[in-house]
Amino acid sequence: MKAYLVGGGIGSLAAAAFMIRDGDVPGGSISILETAPVMGGSLDGAGDPAAGYSMRGGRMLTTDNYECTWDLFRSIPSLIHPGKSVQEETLEFNEKHKANSMARLVDCRRAKVPVTSMGFSMEDRIELLKLSKADEDKLAASRITDWLSPSFFETEFWYMWSTTFAFQPWHSAVEFKRYLLRFMLEFSRIETLAGVKRTIYNQYDSMVMPLQTWLAAQGVRMVADCKVTDLDHETVDGKFTVTGIHCLRQGKSERIAVNPGDLVFMQNGSMTDASSLGSMTSAPAKLTKVDSGGWTLWEKLAAGRPQFGNPSAFNSCIAQSYWESFTVTLKDHAFFDKMFQFSGNEPGTGGLVTFKDSNWMMSIVLAFQPHFPNQPTGVQVFWGYALFPDRMGDFVPKPMAECSGAEILRELCGHLRFDLETVEQANCIPCRMPYITSMFMPRVRSDRPLPVPAGSKNFAFISQFVEIPDDVVFTVEYSVRAAQTAVYQLLGIARKVPPVTPHAKSLETEFEAVVKAFK
Ligand SMILES: Cc1cc2nc3c(=O)[nH]c(=O)nc-3n(C[C@H](O)[C@H](O)[C@H](O)COP(=O)(O)OP(=O)(O)OC[C@H]3O[C@@H](n4cnc5c(N)ncnc54)[C@H](O)[C@@H]3O)c2cc1C
């Protein structure tokens, strides 16, 4: 049996590992085909002090959830701590560096906003309760604004929750409800981000590299610069069966035969598709799926096959699914020192600092340093993002989308009231991501295929765009869970996928008590 994985994101890397560990598939029988020059997909991170570091995202994880992710990484050896797994080294790191944000929200006067209260009115509580209890079929393609009144979007809770998880008011009510339930434990500690766990370095170096190294040692073929353009398929025993893979490998067309008994897994859709980087002097180019072709294969396969989902529910409105992030490389300590004085947090203990009144809705995170293994002493790196890049800045009279890295730094220093000399030697690399919240777009259940769609013989989907009950998208966990689900099902592995932990039960009781008291 051979297995082919289309796409080299964490979903496919995880699937390969589960096939080897739990399905006894020899690594040499597995091939991963990835368009980009490196594996890891959205979990990227690279650079050096001269060119500047860049990562599209900075990730928060939890240990109270992420059941499949830790189930995977307990088997993957650390690259920096011999004899330990990635899970062990991450847990130990988080024991030493606990999150306790002291400047979660900052207002337009540069004052730290008191956040011990969520700012809810009784009406907000009742509406939240109704939403958290509503059936998903009833919520269907409704938006968060269909369930919660305008005042809710002015609460401290909304500023913290929406910027922690990147929700917009127009996003899917189902996804918002799932987040409320899945991350219930964060409800009472969202103001300090105490539940958030971090990796030692950025996630490319701390998750992708160890996993990729382990897979390579097992003999897995990881083929970069290889874009899959089409799948040949036929109906065998009344079932959809892939029989060939067409790809462009380093620009040359190839066909890989898929024989009876072989399996094909495909990453359908990507939140970082068509993303582009700017520089200190230029804004990122405005690319779309037409430039990248990243959604074409899923669109082709889903046409006329409702069981393969509906990509247009997710990729049809860039205005509602995009934002920008930026990575800043500093060559002196001035910015970090001033941030410590202002926030009271050492790097790596504060988490997101959100400028809640900023037009762009800008946040920054100063992670523990070094954030890259090749980062020399004296160089520091931080990451930030803004939810509304179409709006004019408060200190730069331009939408963020039009701004260079230098202009983004000017806007940031304006909110912090830092002199521009603080970032004199900084290199800020902006990153535009047109589909970054495409997973949160309003949708109905059938818009996402099951990991193994009905009527499939040898074909599965692994991505953020598959339907998995109760779990939440925009997480590493969702892709790893999709991988484990698809692999176990197609290979007939008896071991159970770790269930989603039902933290939500406690909230139901709490909310119900509040509502009863109100009556
Ligand atoms: C800015 C940002 C912040 C984030 N914050 C968090 C966080 O705090 N916590 C958290 O848990 N998660 C977070 N995430 C989400 C997490 O990174 C993703 O959910 C996860 O990495 C998605 O992995 P994936 O493998 O499903 O897809 P991707 O990483 O998108 O990988 C898919 C890959 O498939 C390739 N591909 C697609 N089609 C083809 C084809 N036809 N041929 C060949 N290759 C193809 C693509 O090039 C891509 O590399 C964040 C992501 C970003 C970008």
Side-chain angles (χ1 to χ4, degrees):
M1 185 273 260
K2 292 208 180 311
Y4 300 94
L5 296 137
V6 179
I10 188 76
S12 281
L13 300 177
F18 287 127
M19 276 191 264
I20 296 167
R21 188 189 76 180
D22 301 333
D24 294 325
V25 177
S29 302
I30 302 172
S31 302
I32 303 179
L33 314 172
E34 165 59 51
T35 312
V38 289
M39 299 291 143
S42 302
L43 292 183
D44 65 325
D48 58 54
Y53 291 94
S54 172
M55 52 205 166
R56 286 177 289 202
R59 275 141 209 105
M60 293 167 283
L61 314 170
T62 76
T63 41
D64 296 306
N65 312 92
Y66 286 71
E67 301 84 358
C68 299
T69 307
W70 299 124
D71 181 44
L72 169 67
F73 280 101
R74 71 179 168 76
S75 307
I76 304 302
S78 156
L79 292 180
I80 46 179
H81 296 110
K84 289 192 176 155
S85 69
V86 170
Q87 183 205 28
E88 284 168 322
E89 69 172 10
T90 311
L91 291 180
E92 282 174 17
F93 174 78
N94 281 282
E95 270 307 305
K96 275 197 213 138
H97 306 281
K98 289 188 190 286
N100 179 24
S101 169
M102 294 189 267
R104 180 66 190 84
L105 298 182
V106 176
D107 71 13
C108 58
R109 298 163 305 149
R110 192 195 184 248
K112 291 182 222 167
V113 178
V115 284
T116 41
S117 154
M118 301 276 183
F120 290 142
S121 66
M122 190 52 78
E123 189 189 358
D124 294 329
R125 284 165 202 260
I126 292 169
E127 287 178 352
L128 262 185
L129 177 60
K130 271 192 199 150
L131 172 54
S132 70
K133 287 191 152 289
D135 185 81
E136 287 199 3
D137 286 328
K138 186 174 173 205
L139 292 170
S142 64
R143 296 168 188 273
I144 304 171
T145 43
D146 293 331
W147 292 82
L148 300 170
S149 301
S151 61
F152 174 81
F153 300 93
E154 297 296 324
T155 60
E156 277 76 23
F157 173 79
W158 172 254
Y159 285 119
M160 291 189 281
W161 196 264
S162 64
T163 53
T164 302
F165 300 117
F167 271 108
Q168 303 274 20
W170 54 79
H171 281 152
S172 158
V174 174
E175 288 312 325
F176 188 70
K177 172 202 156 149
R178 283 196 185 194
Y179 259 77
L180 289 176
L181 301 185
R182 181 77 158 125
F183 290 129
M184 186 56 51
L185 293 180
E186 306 323 312
F187 225 82
S188 57
R189 56 193 185 195
I190 191 76
E191 77 278 15
T192 59
L193 294 167
V196 168
K197 301 290 185 292
R198 303 274 178 185
T199 52
I200 296 175
Y201 297 122
N202 67 84
Q203 293 73 54
Y204 180 77
D205 286 299
S206 286
M207 299 181 98
V208 173
M209 278 308 287
L211 181 51
Q212 191 177 330
T213 305
W214 185 81
L215 292 174
Q218 311 299 312
V220 173
R221 274 180 76 231
M222 285 172 269
V223 187
D225 199 0
C226 178
K227 180 174 198 163
V228 173
T229 51
D230 211 351
L231 299 178
D232 290 336
H233 50 86
E234 54 190 47
T235 306
V236 177
D237 304 331
K239 292 190 160 179
F240 181 92
T241 310
V242 179
T243 54
I245 298 172
H246 293 266
C247 50
L248 269 180
R249 188 171 170 193
Q250 294 173 336
K252 283 194 190 147
S253 302
E254 275 183 26
R255 181 182 185 277
I256 301 167
V258 176
N259 297 314
D262 292 350
L263 304 176
V264 177
F265 299 84
M266 174 183 150
Q267 299 221 263
N268 55 312
S270 170
M271 65 181 72
T272 49
D273 182 56
S275 60
S276 53
L277 298 181
S279 71
M280 274 298 272
T281 52
S282 62
K286 292 183 178 164
L287 307 182
T288 74
K289 63 178 185 155
V290 178
D291 302 287
S292 66
W295 299 80
T296 314
L297 185 57
W298 184 20
E299 288 170 341
K300 215 185 269 186
L301 290 168
R305 284 188 197 89
Q307 73 277 22
F308 285 1
N310 170 25
S312 68
F314 305 100
N315 66 16
S316 298
C317 188
I318 289 176
Q320 293 188 356
S321 70
Y322 101 103
W323 44 255
E324 252 190 63
S325 67
F326 53 95
T327 311
V328 183
T329 306
L330 301 159
K331 293 196 177 150
D332 61 51
H333 285 238
F335 187 88
F336 270 56
D337 289 348
K338 284 194 161 193
M339 276 304 291
F340 176 51
Q341 277 168 15
F342 169 66
S343 67
N345 279 116
E346 295 276 7
T349 65
L352 282 173
V353 175
T354 294
F355 305 99
K356 73 172 259 295
D357 298 325
S358 61
N359 279 346
W360 295 353
M361 192 54 78
M362 194 188 224
S363 303
I364 57 169
V365 187
L366 274 56
F368 183 81
Q369 303 292 304
H371 201 45
F372 288 82
N374 68 344
Q375 190 182 319
T377 319
V379 171
Q380 293 171 314
V381 178
F382 73 93
W383 180 86
Y385 87 105
L387 278 171
F388 299 120
D390 276 340
R391 296 187 183 167
M392 299 295 270
D394 298 282
F395 297 90
V396 175
K398 268 182 170 185
M400 183 189 197
E402 310 288 332
C403 284
S404 65
E407 288 164 326
I408 291 172
L409 285 176
R410 199 185 324 150
E411 176 77 10
L412 174 61
C413 284
H415 289 291
L416 284 165
R417 312 293 197 270
F418 288 178
D419 295 335
L420 276 179
E421 289 86 74
T422 318
V423 291
E424 208 163 27
Q425 295 194 56
N427 182 359
C428 172
I429 301 181
C431 175
R432 178 181 189 270
M433 293 176 282
Y435 303 104
I436 183 66
T437 58
S438 50
M439 314 76 65
F440 282 165
M441 293 298 282
R443 49 139 187 107
V444 293
R445 194 187 298 272
S446 57
D447 289 332
R448 307 196 292 192
L450 294 172
V452 180
S456 162
K457 190 171 178 67
N458 68 344
F459 180 60
F461 291 110
I462 295 174
S463 72
Q464 296 281 307
F465 302 90
V466 294
E467 176 58 28
I468 302 176
D470 301 329
D471 208 353
V472 293
V473 288
F474 215 153
T475 58
V476 170
E477 172 67 9
Y478 203 83
S479 301
V480 177
R481 183 173 291 280
Q484 203 166 8
T485 306
V487 165
Y488 283 16
Q489 197 174 330
L490 273 192
L491 269 71
I493 295 171
R495 186 174 183 262
K496 293 260 177 291
V497 174
V500 167
T501 314
H503 293 302
K505 293 291 161 209
S506 55
L507 168 101
E508 283 175 28
T509 327
E510 197 182 305
F511 261 161
E512 272 162 23
V514 169
V515 173
K516 276 191 191 136
F518 182 67
K519 277 178 184 165

